[in-house]
């Protein structure tokens, strides 16, 4: 009996995690996504020593200590150049992935990691704090590209039954990068006056490994067939990735998608914004990426040290509690990898934003009462951990997965460009605005975050469909009625699951 038939009835062949697919996932995620997370947290612990270096350098140049306001400005630039670079990196996504391919862009992106790693590593020897600030901007470009290109690459490599699990792997490596930076930032490891330059420079190691190893793995088959028209290379790549010779079913689905997009051509961002058939997909990724960043996740991390201090944690022990919180983040993201295909994307988003909303409300109450009720600071710590758990299972990883799934090949680069720009601008906004919010509103700042979480949850409940185990064309048809467009089916009027749509908006 043919392995694709059961008692004479055709059944769908489910993709499996082959060695080639697993290694391509791990190498691209470690080489790119890991760096994003690492550079988010790498300057937190050594901040006092870096600021001391800034001041010492200034004294050596000008013979007088740096004014406090100027030091604050330089440090703010050191922190904010990273998300600003991420925004510019996002703007580069569409032209690069269309020109160089997904794998090619990841290889090229290593330039934006290795160069700043060397710059930060020699900054103390060169006695230049300007080098650190410029390097933070450049490594931000690396993060902006990797945060969008890795999910796109893995989403196009993976079979549809593994697309959600593999799509979360980049976020998992982001959390591992954050945790590694927190561990290395412990005072007696590298978070000290002699180790901080080495700590900043270590970000170049994953880039070098990716540069050496990723060339041995396939480019995205969808990119090769649909955008380059190279069906032979796409077929060979699919055979390596799936571990079997007969890949005609997937190739046929790609050909249908290619046919459906011939009239549209490659979509720019402006074309994407004007496409009626993509209206609600675009609104959805904007809402989810804004919700992800404006939900307060960075503010929670910013506020965590003062929460732990108010709970009576000794100043020297706060770094270890922070590492513990990072470990919880990693553990819950691993859990999301294993449950996303069973639970679906939508449910994890709803649960995650619901937990974050509740945790923000409880944290506001706990922070307001912690000076009057002796055990309330411990509730604050629990609220922080609950928030981290909620964000890790839904809001953090799932928007990347859904962005890949909601758009077809011609629109996907422009969609990631929009999603990434929203992501990094929102990140930058929170970093810029939260200190003023915290000064003016105190603990009530988190009520604003709880409202944002609630609004995002309501939008997802009303608009975002479940996309697990669906082809890209099936997902396109799911949005057709909401976009008020008609979908013309190919090969007569057979159901989508049997023949697939040409997905042409009439």
């Amino acid at each position: 009996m043919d392995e694709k038939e059961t008692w004479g009835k055709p059944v769908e062949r489910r993709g499996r995690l082959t060695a080639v697919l697993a290694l391509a996932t791990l190498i691209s995620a470690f080489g790119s996504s890991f760096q994003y997370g690492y550079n988010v947290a790498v300057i937190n612990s050594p901040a006092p020593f870096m600021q001391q270096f800034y001041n010492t350098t200034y004294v050596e140049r000008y013979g007088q200590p740096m004014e406090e306001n100027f030091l604050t400005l330089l440090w703010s630039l050191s922190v904010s150049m990273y998300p600003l670079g991420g925004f510019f990196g996002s703007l580069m996504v569409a032209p690069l992935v269309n020109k160089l391919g997904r794998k090619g862009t990841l290889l090229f992106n290593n330039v934006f990691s290795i160069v700043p790693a060397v710059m930060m590593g020699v900054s103390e020897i060169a006695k230049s704090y300007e080098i650190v600030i410029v390097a933070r901007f450049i490594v931000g470009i690396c993060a902006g590209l990797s945060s969008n290109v890795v999910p796109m690459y893995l989403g196009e490599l993976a079979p549809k039954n593994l697309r959600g699990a593999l799509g979360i792997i980049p976020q998992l490596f982001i959390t591992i990068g954050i945790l590694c930076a927190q561990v290395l930032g412990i005072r007696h490891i590298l978070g000290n006056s002699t180790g901080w330059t080495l700590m900043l420079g270590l970000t170049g190691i994953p880039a070098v490994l990716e540069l050496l190893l990723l060339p041995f793995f396939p480019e995205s088959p969808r990119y090769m067939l649909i955008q380059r028209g190279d069906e032979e290379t796409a077929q060979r790549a699919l055979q390596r990735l799936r571990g079997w010779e007969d890949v005609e079913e997937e190739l046929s689905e790609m050909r249908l998608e290619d046919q459906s997009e011939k009239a549209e051509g490659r979509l720019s961002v402006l074309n994407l914004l004007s496409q009626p058939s993509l209206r609600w997909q675009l609104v959805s990724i904007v809402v989810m990426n804004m919700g992800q960043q404006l939900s307060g996740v960075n503010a929670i991390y910013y506020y965590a040290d003062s929460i732990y201090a108010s709970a009576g944690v000794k100043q020297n022990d706060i770094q270890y509690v922070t590492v513990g919180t990072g470990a919880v983040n990693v553990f819950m993201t691993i859990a999301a990898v294993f449950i996303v295909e069973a639970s679906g994307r939508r449910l994890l988003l709803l649960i995650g934003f619901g937990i974050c909303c509740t945790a923000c409300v409880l944290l506001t109450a706990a922070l307001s009462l912690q000076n009057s009720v002796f055990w309330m600071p411990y509730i604050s710590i629990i609220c922080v951990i609950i928030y981290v758990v909620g964000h890790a299972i839904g809001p953090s990883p799932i928007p990347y997965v859904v962005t890949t799934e909601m758009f077809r090949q011609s629109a996907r680069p422009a969609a990631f460009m929009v999603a990434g720009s929203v992501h990094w601008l929102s990140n930058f906004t929170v970093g810029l605005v939260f200190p003023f919010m915290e000064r003016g509103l105190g603990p009530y700042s988190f009520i604003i975050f709880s409202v944002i979480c609630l609004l995002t949850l309501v939008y997802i409940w009303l608009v975002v469909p479940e996309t697990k185990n669906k082809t890209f064309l099936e997902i396109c048809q799911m949005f057709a009625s909401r976009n008020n467009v008609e979908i013309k089916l190919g090969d007569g009027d057979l159901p989508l699951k049997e023949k697939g749509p040409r997905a042409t908006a009439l």
Side-chain angles (χ1 to χ4, degrees):
M1 184 184 299
D2 189 284
E3 66 174 328
K4 295 176 70 177
E5 294 185 356
T6 303
W7 303 106
K9 296 180 180 179
V11 298
E12 182 182 11
R13 172 184 264 167
R14 291 175 64 81
R16 61 188 181 185
L17 186 63
T18 60
V20 172
L21 180 56
L23 288 172
T25 301
L26 294 176
I27 290 168
S28 59
F30 176 67
S32 295
S33 302
F34 177 90
Q35 294 186 67
Y36 173 5
Y38 185 83
N39 285 294
V40 164
V42 72
I43 66 171
N44 291 347
S45 182
F49 306 104
M50 292 177 67
Q51 292 177 43
Q52 183 181 355
F53 160 68
Y54 287 13
N55 192 50
T56 302
T57 301
Y58 189 88
V59 170
E60 290 179 2
R61 287 183 189 176
Y62 305 108
Q64 60 183 13
M66 188 182 293
E67 291 183 10
E68 186 175 346
N69 287 340
F70 187 56
L71 178 60
T72 302
L73 174 63
L74 287 180
W75 185 247
S76 297
L77 286 173
S78 302
V79 175
S80 61
M81 281 298 105
Y82 182 67
L84 188 62
F87 170 69
F88 280 96
S90 296
L91 297 180
M92 297 164 62
V93 169
L96 284 178
V97 296
N98 287 328
K99 180 71 174 177
L100 304 178
R102 283 60 166 149
K103 185 181 79 170
T105 300
L106 290 177
L107 292 173
F108 173 74
N109 191 31
N110 289 312
V111 172
F112 298 113
S113 175
I114 295 171
V115 170
V118 173
M119 291 171 66
M120 290 186 288
V122 302
S123 58
E124 193 172 29
I125 297 172
K127 297 183 178 180
S128 172
Y129 46 75
E130 294 89 350
I131 287 180
V132 176
I133 295 170
V134 173
R136 286 284 292 174
F137 177 78
I138 298 172
V139 83
I141 294 175
C142 173
L145 278 165
S146 65
S147 64
N148 292 288
V149 179
V150 178
M152 190 190 309
Y153 178 56
L154 298 185
E156 294 180 9
L157 291 189
K160 65 182 181 182
N161 61 295
L162 294 177
R163 206 164 53 219
L166 295 188
I168 293 178
I169 295 296
Q171 181 62 32
L172 172 60
F173 273 84
I174 290 172
T175 62
I176 292 173
I178 292 172
L179 179 60
C180 286
Q182 290 170 338
V183 171
L184 291 176
I186 291 173
R187 291 287 183 263
H188 64 266
I189 301 181
L190 291 178
N192 51 55
S193 59
T194 58
W196 67 267
T197 51
L198 175 60
M199 186 175 166
L200 265 61
L202 286 176
T203 186
I205 293 178
V208 171
L209 290 174
E210 182 178 55
L211 202 57
L212 292 173
L213 298 176
L214 194 60
F216 296 100
F217 293 88
E219 177 57 272
S220 159
R222 306 188 79 86
Y223 170 77
M224 295 308 300
L225 190 150
I226 297 175
Q227 291 184 246
R228 296 290 295 272
D230 189 347
E231 186 169 325
E232 185 178 340
T233 302
Q235 181 176 352
R236 288 199 304 269
L238 270 178
Q239 289 169 340
R240 287 186 65 197
L241 290 165
R242 301 296 177 259
W244 51 58
E245 293 296 313
D246 181 12
V247 292
E248 184 57 32
E249 185 178 343
E250 277 193 84
L251 286 174
S252 296
E253 188 261 322
M254 291 182 198
R255 291 189 201 105
L256 281 173
E257 185 175 344
D258 187 27
Q259 291 169 15
S260 75
E261 296 186 328
K262 290 292 187 186
E264 295 177 4
R266 189 179 300 160
L267 294 181
S268 67
V269 171
L270 289 177
N271 296 143
L272 181 68
L273 295 174
S274 63
Q275 282 285 325
S277 61
L278 298 174
R279 183 183 299 116
W280 281 101
Q281 293 96 309
L282 189 62
V283 173
S284 296
I285 64 166
V286 168
V287 170
M288 284 187 287
N289 278 277
M290 287 182 68
Q292 180 196 62
Q293 290 301 307
L294 299 181
S295 60
V297 61
N298 293 317
I300 287 284
Y301 283 116
Y302 174 88
Y303 212 69
D305 284 6
S306 62
I307 293 172
Y308 298 149
S310 68
V313 179
K314 295 179 181 178
Q315 191 64 39
N316 195 49
D317 293 338
I318 287 176
Q319 57 187 332
Y320 301 107
V321 180
T322 302
V323 169
T325 306
V328 170
N329 196 5
V330 171
F331 177 78
M332 293 311 302
T333 308
I334 292 172
V337 171
F338 288 100
I339 65 176
V340 65
E341 295 300 349
S343 64
R345 291 74 158 127
R346 187 171 180 269
L347 181 61
L348 288 184
L349 283 169
L350 292 172
I351 291 174
F353 277 111
I355 290 174
C356 290
C357 178
T358 305
C360 283
V361 173
L362 295 176
L363 181 60
T364 300
L367 290 172
S368 301
L369 297 172
Q370 66 182 10
N371 293 326
S372 55
V373 181
F374 77 93
W375 45 265
M376 197 57 72
Y378 301 102
I379 301 299
S380 301
I381 293 178
I382 293 171
C383 289
V384 170
I385 294 172
I386 291 173
Y387 180 95
V388 168
V389 168
H391 216 275
I393 64 170
S396 283
I398 304 300
Y400 298 110
V401 178
V402 176
T403 302
T404 300
E405 294 179 327
M406 282 185 175
F407 295 88
R408 293 177 291 159
Q409 196 74 18
S410 65
R412 195 171 295 125
F416 266 97
M417 189 168 161
V418 171
S421 299
V422 170
H423 171 100
W424 286 101
L425 279 177
S426 300
N427 186 325
F428 180 76
T429 300
V430 171
L432 188 67
V433 172
F434 180 72
F436 298 99
M437 284 175 52
E438 192 270 327
R439 189 182 306 168
L441 299 175
Y444 296 99
S445 305
F446 293 100
I447 290 294
I448 296 175
F449 298 133
S450 69
V451 171
I452 291 171
C453 289
L454 179 61
L455 292 175
T456 309
L457 184 153
V458 170
Y459 178 89
I460 293 167
W461 175 266
L462 295 175
V463 177
V464 178
E466 180 53 65
T467 57
K468 74 169 184 175
N469 286 331
K470 305 289 185 184
T471 67
F472 296 117
L473 291 176
E474 288 172 334
I475 295 167
C476 176
Q477 194 190 47
M478 290 164 66
F479 275 97
S481 59
R482 186 171 292 279
N483 287 320
N484 197 28
V485 297
E486 297 178 20
I487 299 294
K488 185 170 73 176
L489 300 179
D491 301 285
D493 294 320
L494 292 174
L496 175 62
K497 289 186 178 179
E498 291 183 46
K499 289 296 182 182
R502 297 287 169 92
T504 304
L506 299 179

